[in-house]
Amino acid sequence: MRLRVKLFAYLTRYRDNLSSGTPCEVDLPEGATLADLLRALQVPDEEVKMAFVNGLAQPEDWQLKDGDEVGIFPPIAGG
Amino acid sequence: MWLIRVNMNDLTSRVEPLPDAYKHLGGRGMTSTIVAKEVPPLCHPLGPNNKLVFAPGIVTGTPAPTSARVSAGAKSPLTGGIKESNGGSSWAADLADMQVRALVVEGQAKKNGKFRGLHLVWDAAAGQPKVEFFDASEHAGKDLFEAFPKIYAKFGDKISISGCGIAGEYGYGNAGIVYNDPAKRPTRYSGRGGLGSVMGSKGLKFIVLSREGSPGVPITDEALFDQGRKKMIDALRTHAVTKPKGALNTYGTAVLINILNEAGGLPTRNFSSGRFEGAAKTAGEAIFEGNKQRLGKELYNHACSPGCIIQCSNTWHNPDGTEAASCVEYESDWALGANCGIDSLDDIATMVKLCNGYGLDTIETGATIGVVMEAGVIPFGDSQGAINLIHEMGKGTPLGRILGGGTAFAGKAYGMTRVPAVKGQGMPAYEPRAVKGIGITYATSTMGADHTAGYTIAPEILGVSGKQDPLTPEGKAALSRGFQAATAFIDTSGHCLFIAFAVLDIASGLEGMVEECNGVLGTQWTTADIGRVGADVLQTERAFNEAAGLGKETDRIPEFMLTEPLPPHNQVFDVSDEALDSVYAEL
């Protein structure tokens, strides 16, 4: 299946030439979870605070499906 | 410790010992207590019976980190209720160092086109602060970027300044109180609620502090204070969002643009969508990368005030590397960006600087422009048109005065129904339909629509202090209530609200905050008292609002949010009136 994935803030360092919020396409086997996606991207678990799938925050064992849009964030805050 | 009363009727002042009843108060607790006790709730906010109160927090002026905060309070010309608006500046620490726990400006100078300034100095012989008046009329009608250097030239480099801009002279509902930043710029604000106009209405333009020789803040129990301070520093230096080169220090508060957009909660084009296609171009990451490109090096953020170890204030630079504006905060970036359909950081920075120069609140300005864009005054995305509208406000033209009245006022003038405001105050940068808890805070806060009053975004979006589903209304009244009470305590302590990100996750940091306060005051508070002390402040504010005519009927979200589903999640604000009423009924 094919996913549209966005990395934000300093997580972009795990992907060459990718700017924050720019989507890239990632292919994964059917049934893969968010945790599988992080492994495929080589983004360390402990650096990820929030992951959104189609605009909704999901846990790492969330099962992804073809066409999902995923946004991955490190710990951030502001106001 | 002193309470200073300045009477603008006859240009006199009194320096009084702090009454015993006020000795455990600071910041918001102090301003709201004095306003509730001394200001008639039904008075005109711009009339002689309103009072403008400044109070540094309990630990402000001490070595407690990230604590140079001041509360400004009065009856608000924007909401008609009580207002506390918090700012960070050396002005806060200097007021505390002069042992002034409250500065109360009363009465009203005769309206003859003259403006006065106050100059507070430390009178070493008398062992107390002293107030001098000066003629500030030459600064009336002037941009604050023009006025500030002249004030420094007159009083010297070691001063701190607060004041109002042209917006405050005109009496706009949208007029903040300005303070100097560390680079002597007029960029730090108690922005919300029109307090700049309360200052202007009194014929007061600037309050200059010369702290030289002042004794500093007395600390009752040094050992306990130090213990608390160290715990707080440890928490701030280790938490991922507050540590050096962490998210706030790197990207600034505008790092929130992308995550709110991703969650579908970034209000776009006057709250008609929760997603903005230009979000990434205006986000904190784009500010960091843009600066890097234009300066040829990485630029980390600076402190808004002395003693801050979070250091989240950014500076945006022009293509030639010169300074464009400082600081482009998340709220300003959103208000003048996504909310207006504008995706140019250069244009947003231009507008931020104009607001700072005229004395306008950036949130109210952007929310107002969003409404009149929808009304067709200018199209969404027209940044030059938006810049022109801010100039109209600065010039005091009839259109400018309508806009200066704020979001709700301008919405009425143009017959609009999609007007994002509660109690007359324009909404900040989080969509109530996509983040239910913050909507409850907007609806019920004593301040009108104010994100800082109970920042449920922490668990609803950021995963700080637990994780909660932003789309469900379940349990959110209690969540908002808890955040509102804890916030009232932090605003009283004198710490910047951003310490909450660290201390909500790191228990020893929370203990540290209470130990710092106990160390200064000699109190015996525990972390269990945080909610109680905060709730006392909220009850005081609530009672004032009810007497001013702002009862629970005004604790409501605008009707369009109850009926118009918001893309992308197609949610309405589905929190019941009973749940909203329970926030204060069960406080």
Side-chain angles (χ1 to χ4, degrees):
Chain A
M1 63 182 174
R2 179 157 290 187
L3 308 165
R4 260 166 69 91
V5 180
K6 289 174 278 187
L7 298 175
F8 291 95
Y10 35 75
L11 294 184
T12 52
R13 66 171 175 247
Y14 294 106
R15 199 89 182 168
D16 286 342
N17 303 317
L18 186 69
S19 66
S20 178
T22 305
C24 63
E25 294 194 335
V26 176
D27 292 318
L28 284 183
E30 292 294 330
T33 63
L34 266 174
D36 296 328
L37 172 62
L38 295 182
R39 267 192 295 277
L41 295 169
Q42 294 182 305
V43 175
D45 248 16
E46 62 274 14
E47 293 199 23
V48 174
K49 183 72 175 181
M50 299 296 289
F52 292 82
V53 180
N54 304 324
L56 300 173
Q58 301 296 0
E60 285 201 356
D61 60 1
W62 182 260
Q63 200 169 326
L64 298 163
K65 58 184 191 314
D66 188 47
D68 276 349
E69 299 212 359
V70 185
I72 304 169
F73 291 84
I76 60 170
Chain B
M1 306 305 286
W2 308 99
L3 185 153
I4 297 181
R5 291 184 186 276
V6 174
N7 188 331
M8 296 302 293
N9 289 330
D10 54 7
L11 303 182
T12 57
S13 66
R14 281 181 298 161
V15 179
E16 305 168 352
L18 187 73
D20 278 352
Y22 293 172
K23 70 180 183 182
H24 292 162
L25 297 175
R28 179 175 174 182
M30 182 74 82
T31 61
S32 289
T33 298
I34 293 176
V35 171
K37 186 158 183 260
E38 301 186 12
V39 174
L42 296 176
C43 75
H44 196 293
L46 303 182
N49 293 321
N50 200 2
K51 297 187 182 187
L52 180 61
V53 185
F54 295 93
I58 292 166
V59 302
T60 303
T62 72
T66 310
S67 68
R69 307 292 301 188
V70 63
S71 293
K75 175 170 173 167
S76 164
L78 189 71
T79 68
I82 199 165
K83 175 57 65 178
E84 183 266 357
S85 188
N86 201 282
S89 169
S90 61
W91 196 88
D94 289 356
L95 193 64
D97 282 348
M98 297 172 89
Q99 301 196 338
V100 179
R101 293 280 293 276
L103 170 61
V104 184
V105 183
E106 311 178 352
Q108 195 157 57
K110 207 180 279 178
K111 286 210 167 146
N112 54 9
K114 279 197 169 180
F115 280 89
R116 309 289 173 171
L118 302 179
H119 182 211
L120 269 63
V121 298
W122 184 255
D123 182 343
Q128 63 182 59
K130 188 171 79 175
V131 179
E132 298 164 350
F133 291 83
F134 65 95
D135 187 351
S137 306
E138 64 175 300
H139 306 296
K142 298 285 166 50
D143 190 296
L144 288 165
F145 284 95
E146 189 184 331
F148 262 46
K150 290 181 179 164
I151 301 286
Y152 280 106
K154 180 178 169 76
F155 293 100
D157 274 351
K158 292 182 178 166
I159 58 166
S160 296
I161 308 173
S162 74
C164 68
I166 294 169
E169 295 172 31
Y170 287 140
Y172 290 169
N174 174 356
I177 288 178
V178 67
Y179 310 98
N180 61 278
D181 71 11
K184 301 183 172 63
R185 294 169 294 213
T187 67
R188 307 312 312 182
Y189 269 84
S190 286
R192 306 236 66 193
L195 296 184
S197 288
V198 178
M199 193 169 188
S201 74
K202 299 195 171 304
L204 181 60
K205 187 75 181 155
F206 293 114
I207 304 173
V208 177
L209 306 180
S210 293
R211 65 172 294 280
E212 207 168 351
S214 60
V217 177
I219 294 175
T220 305
D221 183 337
E222 291 272 2
L224 183 61
F225 172 80
D226 270 347
Q227 178 180 308
R229 181 176 68 90
K230 283 176 185 150
K231 287 181 183 175
M232 176 64 81
I233 290 171
D234 282 348
L236 295 177
R237 288 213 168 125
T238 52
H239 196 279
V241 302
T242 54
K243 68 185 182 185
K245 296 198 175 181
L248 279 167
N249 183 230
T250 306
Y251 302 113
T253 56
V255 72
L256 288 188
I257 293 269
N258 280 323
I259 197 166
L260 264 299
N261 193 56
E262 196 65 18
L266 186 72
T268 299
R269 295 186 179 82
N270 190 33
F271 290 74
S272 61
S273 171
R275 285 251 172 92
F276 179 46
E277 68 283 1
K281 286 175 70 179
T282 60
E285 293 96 316
I287 295 173
F288 184 77
E289 292 301 328
N291 275 333
K292 191 166 140 186
Q293 198 177 41
R294 291 177 175 187
L295 296 171
K297 62 176 183 185
E298 289 184 342
L299 178 66
Y300 290 86
N301 295 328
H302 61 271
C304 75
S305 54
C308 179
I309 60 174
I310 299 177
Q311 307 201 351
C312 67
S313 298
N314 61 23
T315 305
W316 177 243
H317 291 81
N318 294 310
D320 65 1
T322 56
E323 180 180 308
S326 180
C327 161
V328 183
E329 301 279 14
Y330 168 63
E331 299 292 334
S332 313
D333 194 6
W334 156 81
L336 302 160
N339 191 51
C340 295
I342 291 169
D343 65 3
S344 159
L345 273 172
D346 288 320
D347 292 337
I348 290 167
T350 297
M351 289 189 271
V352 167
K353 188 162 185 189
L354 286 175
C355 288
N356 287 343
Y358 287 137
L360 294 162
D361 171 24
T362 52
I363 299 178
E364 201 64 43
T365 300
T368 304
I369 292 174
V371 168
V372 302
M373 280 179 157
E374 183 166 328
V377 175
I378 56 171
F380 282 113
D382 178 4
S383 50
Q384 190 52 53
I387 289 167
N388 291 342
L389 291 182
I390 297 173
H391 282 305
E392 295 285 323
M393 287 190 251
K395 285 188 271 190
T397 63
L399 173 58
R401 285 170 188 260
I402 287 170
L403 301 173
T407 311
F409 186 82
K412 272 188 189 170
Y414 283 93
M416 302 304 293
T417 56
R418 190 185 286 125
V419 180
V422 178
K423 297 182 179 71
Q425 180 162 292
M427 282 186 188
Y430 315 88
E431 237 295 348
R433 287 167 285 184
V435 198
K436 302 289 161 58
I438 202 71
I440 296 174
T441 294
Y442 289 172
T444 60
S445 158
T446 49
M447 299 294 142
D450 179 352
H451 62 296
T452 67
Y455 196 68
T456 63
I457 297 300
E460 290 187 289
I461 298 291
L462 306 175
V464 170
S465 187
K467 284 187 185 180
Q468 299 223 11
D469 175 3
L471 299 180
T472 181
E474 299 303 319
K476 296 294 177 61
L479 184 72
S480 175
R481 185 189 309 119
F483 267 83
Q484 290 192 49
T487 300
F489 183 94
I490 294 172
D491 288 344
T492 296
S493 79
H495 275 296
C496 170
L497 190 52
F498 285 4
I499 59 114
F501 297 124
V503 305
L504 286 174
D505 281 341
I506 302 171
S508 60
L510 196 68
E511 288 164 17
M513 174 174 70
V514 174
E515 288 166 358
E516 287 172 342
C517 291
N518 287 338
V520 171
L521 297 175
T523 42
Q524 311 273 321
W525 292 336
T526 68
T527 53
D529 290 311
I530 291 172
R532 179 189 58 78
V533 173
D536 285 350
V537 176
L538 296 179
Q539 297 283 20
T540 299
E541 294 171 348
R542 180 80 176 179
F544 181 94
N545 278 1
E546 285 176 352
L550 297 180
K552 65 180 186 181
E553 300 77 11
T554 62
D555 290 348
R556 297 293 181 261
I557 285 294
E559 189 183 33
F560 78 92
M561 291 183 172
L562 312 182
T563 55
E564 287 181 24
L566 180 84
H569 297 306
N570 297 316
Q571 290 266 318
V572 295
F573 188 71
D574 55 356
V575 178
S576 68
D577 289 352
E578 290 72 24
L580 292 174
D581 292 343
S582 75
V583 171
Y584 276 82
E586 296 173 22
L587 182 69

